[in-house]
Amino acid sequence: MRQVELGNTGIKVSRLVFGCWGITNDFQWKDRKEEESLGAIDAALELGVQFFDTAEMYADGDSEELLGRALKGRRDQAVIASKVRPENMHPEKVIEACENSLKRLQTDYLDLYQTHWFMDRDIPVEDSWAAMIQLKEQGKVRSIGVCNAGVQDLSTLDASEIPVSNQLPYNLLWRAIETAIVLASTERNMGILVYSPLMHGLLAGNYNSASDVPDPRARTRHFSDSRSLARHGEAGHEELTFKTLAAIQSIADDLGRPMADVALGWLDAQEGVTGIIAGARTRKQLERNIAGLEQSLPNDVIEKLNEATQELKNTLGPNPDMWQGDAGSRYY
């Protein structure tokens, strides 16, 4: 597995990042067996995927605890990233949250510590960030980054220490960050860490129609607000989403490759992308994700995929928040 530098930190990370949101039971992913997740983490290290991304918010800390147990005795083989939850953005809580994450992960440092969302606008972004810098100065974290940070948030941090990375939602069905945030991040020499690369299984060909998608995975603005867990207040674009999926599938069929491979290959070719975060339940899924990044797509195929997804990109608009409509967008 290829390794790249995380921002300008000198920290070498695998291009594929093992996403740890789904390694424990969670409303989004439902039941997960611990032995299965431990086996997938073992396989990741064996196959050269040594960058693990978790958060205190994932299953209320259970994800961090499981990852800590999995890496016990071999911490030096892994690069660990975690995040402070939105409710803990007060400076004092940022410090406490990091210390709690360290305990759950059974380590005395994090390679990357990130803000998860800047949601509480009563707490100045610069105050939360000052606490992140303090953690770095104390040696509890090696580098600091942001997640879901918009152009205004990044501008606010310019007077301080620039984050090494910005973790953002990005895939063939969700290209909103191309409007402004990609440029705002790359011009600051920040690496972009991509989450939801397979759009919750849609780009893996797991569903034939919108009605097949379970409600926990149908919360995004692609789907009707009538779905029980949706909160974006929009009509959704279910027909166009599945029309676009069919077009992507056709391109993949012409190549003789799985749609998931093509979706990952497209991301691998995008400007500014440092790491692609994807979960895996099994070794087989992990090997499939690796394969998707090891076979580059020809430029003409990249162009075909851009064209096939342009209408959906335009229809969804520039709001980068997958779960909230324009009025409630958490990006600034």
Side-chain angles (χ1 to χ4, degrees), residues 1 65 75 135 144-145 247 296:
M1 169 53 57
E65 288 187 354
R75 171 67 179 89
L135 287 166
I144 49 179
S296 298

Side-chain angles (χ1 to χ4, degrees), residues 10 25 36 69 85 98 107 133 176 185 216 245 286 297 306 318-319:
N25 294 339
E36 195 173 60
R69 292 199 299 275
R85 68 192 308 154
C98 181
T107 183
I133 294 173
S185 298
L245 277 170
L286 188 64
L297 295 176
N306 290 340
N319 172 18

Side-chain angles (χ1 to χ4, degrees), residues 2-63:
R2 271 182 299 144
Q3 290 198 341
V4 296
E5 184 177 358
L6 176 61
N8 57 359
T9 64
I11 300 172
K12 296 296 184 179
V13 296
S14 52
R15 180 71 161 165
L16 180 65
V17 186
F18 191 103
C20 295
W21 182 8
I23 62 174
T24 54
N25 294 339
D26 184 274
F27 81 97
Q28 176 90 2
W29 310 111
K30 301 303 182 183
D31 295 339
R32 292 292 168 96
K33 296 179 181 179
E34 181 172 315
E35 61 270 22
E36 195 173 60
S37 293
L38 291 173
I41 292 168
D42 287 344
L45 289 174
E46 180 185 338
L47 296 169
V49 179
Q50 40 74 287
F51 192 8
F52 297 87
D53 179 76
T54 184
E56 64 169 336
M57 195 174 185
Y58 297 163
D60 200 23
D62 286 350
S63 172

Side-chain angles (χ1 to χ4, degrees), residues 65-82:
E65 288 187 354
L66 180 56
L67 183 60
R69 292 199 299 275
L71 296 177
K72 188 173 183 179
R74 47 184 179 175
R75 171 67 179 89
D76 60 331
Q77 298 178 34
V79 175
I80 301 177
S82 194

Side-chain angles (χ1 to χ4, degrees), residues 239-251:
E239 183 177 347
L240 178 56
T241 295
F242 277 83
K243 174 187 172 184
T244 305
L245 277 170
I248 298 169
Q249 183 67 70
S250 177
I251 294 170

